[in-house]
Amino acid sequence: MIAHIMVDGAAAAIDFYIKAFGAKELIRIDGRDGRVLHAEVSVQGSTIMLGDAEAPLFRAPTTIGGTTVGLHVFVDDVDSLADRAVAAGAELLQPRADQFHGDRTSILRDAYGHVWIFLTHLKHLTSDEVSRRAQELLR
């Protein structure tokens, strides 16, 4: 599965993703009006599709006051990516930290309203171990 996100200002969002996340633009199809009909970017091997929002079917998070999706992306070094993203203007929602599920994570929101959960895998755990660790946190 590949996430396909909609934004207001997709061309600027692509530039931001390149600067903040080190994304690589794979393809861009511009409409006659200059809006991005379809684009694909890669963040350390994870592909995200995006384009300018076309209401009423697709709306950008900024127009609805939030988002219903978190974009999880595994990266080599969540610490340096979080630093880079914040320096580029991303909002830090959750500082980087080692998590019970064996990953180090940081949660950021871009200026376009999308929430990104970046993860670096630290340790492989069985599903039983993850469940046990989660239960310990709930106590």
Side-chain angles (χ1 to χ4, degrees), residues 85-103:
V86 168
E91 177 186 1
L92 183 65
L93 299 177
Q94 178 186 338
R96 56 199 161 216
D98 294 351
Q99 302 295 329
F100 71 92
H101 45 75
D103 301 311

Side-chain angles (χ1 to χ4, degrees), residues 24-85:
K24 294 183 175 137
E25 184 176 325
L26 303 176
I27 186 173
R28 184 189 305 205
I29 302 168
D30 291 324
R32 290 187 182 135
D33 61 359
R35 293 168 52 84
V36 176
L37 299 175
H38 178 81
E40 297 176 17
V41 298
S42 174
V43 178
Q44 294 190 26
S46 293
T47 299
I48 305 288
M49 295 179 178
L50 68 138
D52 278 295
E54 293 290 335
L57 186 59
F58 296 109
R59 296 183 187 266
T62 52
T63 64
I64 61 171
T67 184
T68 62
V69 174
L71 302 165
H72 284 72
V73 180
F74 280 92
V75 297
D76 294 330
D77 181 357
V78 71
D79 294 333
S80 63
L81 188 135
D83 289 342
R84 176 182 182 158

Side-chain angles (χ1 to χ4, degrees), residues 94-117:
Q94 178 186 338
R96 56 199 161 216
D98 294 351
Q99 302 295 329
F100 71 92
H101 45 75
D103 301 311
R104 184 165 177 80
T105 66
S106 184
I107 302 177
L108 303 137
R109 181 178 11 249
D110 66 33
Y112 307 91
H114 292 284
V115 174
W116 298 76
I117 299 93

